[in-house]
Amino acid sequence: MLLVLSVEHRAHLGCLPRAGDAAVGELGRLALEQLRRGAAPRACESAARKLNISVDIIQHGVEGLVYLLTESSKLMISEADFQDSINVLGFSDELNKSLLQLYLDNRKEIRSILGELAPRLPSYHSLEWRLDVQLASRSLRQQIKPAVTMKLHLNENEDRTAQVLQTDPATLLHLIQQLEQALGEMKMNHCRRIVRNMK
């Protein structure tokens, strides 16, 4: 699986050859620090003075590296796919080797950082349901009006919450069909590859 880089990210990574091979290590360190602790403008300014390069080149290079490393780590692309992804940038072999080594050395740490940043979504615990049918009212002597009431229990940050939902059977059947279709699509090879790469 190749990583497709947008024009903007190619332009940001295009700053790397201008920075020089020696600066790539420093830019890689800054990119990893940005992932760990967030943006650090002072560190970029310090690196720009040390390397005698403009601050803009440093910032663009760091942004490009952050994108390249996070997207590659998210997809867990192989060494060969990473090389193919950066070959389109037209960098020297030396620079390509430096980028590959930076990726291989840090992809596990980057994945763990991205995992910590992911939102904690509620998870399913249990479901209670009830079927109510209204057979008549004052104005209508004969009517059948079914309603399904569900109480969905969720685990959320070690707390248990509940959501009460009510719908008619036709809407519930449509929802079931949509969920079954989504589960069927998960069995397709394309989806299996995506799920495998997400783990």
Side-chain angles (χ1 to χ4, degrees):
M1 177 185 298
L2 291 177
L3 179 64
V4 180
L5 297 167
S6 70
V7 175
E8 180 185 2
H9 292 112
R10 283 183 188 210
H12 285 186
L13 288 167
C15 297
L16 296 179
R18 282 184 279 163
D21 290 340
V24 171
E26 181 68 16
L27 292 174
R29 186 188 66 75
L30 288 171
L32 291 170
E33 284 301 311
Q34 183 169 326
L35 281 169
R36 290 180 193 122
R37 296 187 182 89
R42 286 187 182 166
C44 288
E45 290 168 8
S46 172
R49 279 194 304 274
K50 186 167 89 175
L51 298 168
N52 199 22
I53 304 171
S54 77
V55 176
D56 285 342
I57 290 176
I58 296 286
Q59 287 175 336
H60 288 303
V62 169
E63 288 172 20
L65 280 175
V66 166
Y67 179 80
L68 178 69
L69 294 172
T70 54
E71 292 302 309
S72 301
S73 299
K74 258 191 245 179
L75 300 171
M76 280 301 280
I77 62 176
S78 67
E79 185 176 328
D81 287 341
F82 185 85
Q83 286 177 321
D84 290 343
S85 298
I86 59 174
N87 277 341
V88 299
L89 299 170
F91 293 160
S92 67
D93 289 342
E94 186 75 25
L95 183 53
N96 285 347
K97 285 178 187 173
S98 299
L99 291 173
L100 175 63
Q101 198 58 50
L102 184 67
Y103 168 64
L104 293 176
D105 291 346
N106 297 291
R107 65 181 167 186
K108 288 183 181 172
E109 181 187 357
I110 293 169
R111 276 185 72 82
S112 71
I113 291 169
L114 294 174
E116 291 169 12
L117 296 175
R120 301 280 185 249
L121 299 174
S123 61
Y124 171 83
H125 180 264
S126 63
L127 177 74
E128 298 175 48
W129 63 274
R130 183 179 76 220
L131 177 65
D132 295 318
V133 180
Q134 184 176 347
L135 298 173
S137 66
R138 287 183 185 170
S139 58
L140 290 171
R141 295 279 181 217
Q142 289 186 337
Q143 70 173 359
I144 297 176
K145 190 176 175 186
V148 179
T149 305
M150 297 170 282
K151 189 172 187 181
L152 182 61
H153 297 273
L154 303 170
N155 293 327
E156 191 169 7
N157 299 330
E158 299 180 17
D159 295 330
R160 190 149 305 144
T161 61
Q163 299 287 328
V164 178
L165 311 164
Q166 189 171 43
T167 186
D168 60 287
T171 304
L172 185 60
L173 284 172
H174 176 70
L175 181 62
I176 291 168
Q177 290 169 349
Q178 293 296 310
L179 289 171
E180 285 175 347
Q181 181 182 350
L183 285 172
E185 288 175 6
M186 284 297 295
K187 294 177 184 174
M188 295 171 67
N189 287 335
H190 178 69
C191 288
R192 284 183 179 168
R193 275 197 305 273
I194 291 171
V195 170
R196 235 188 345 261
N197 285 327
M198 287 170 62
K199 290 180 182 174

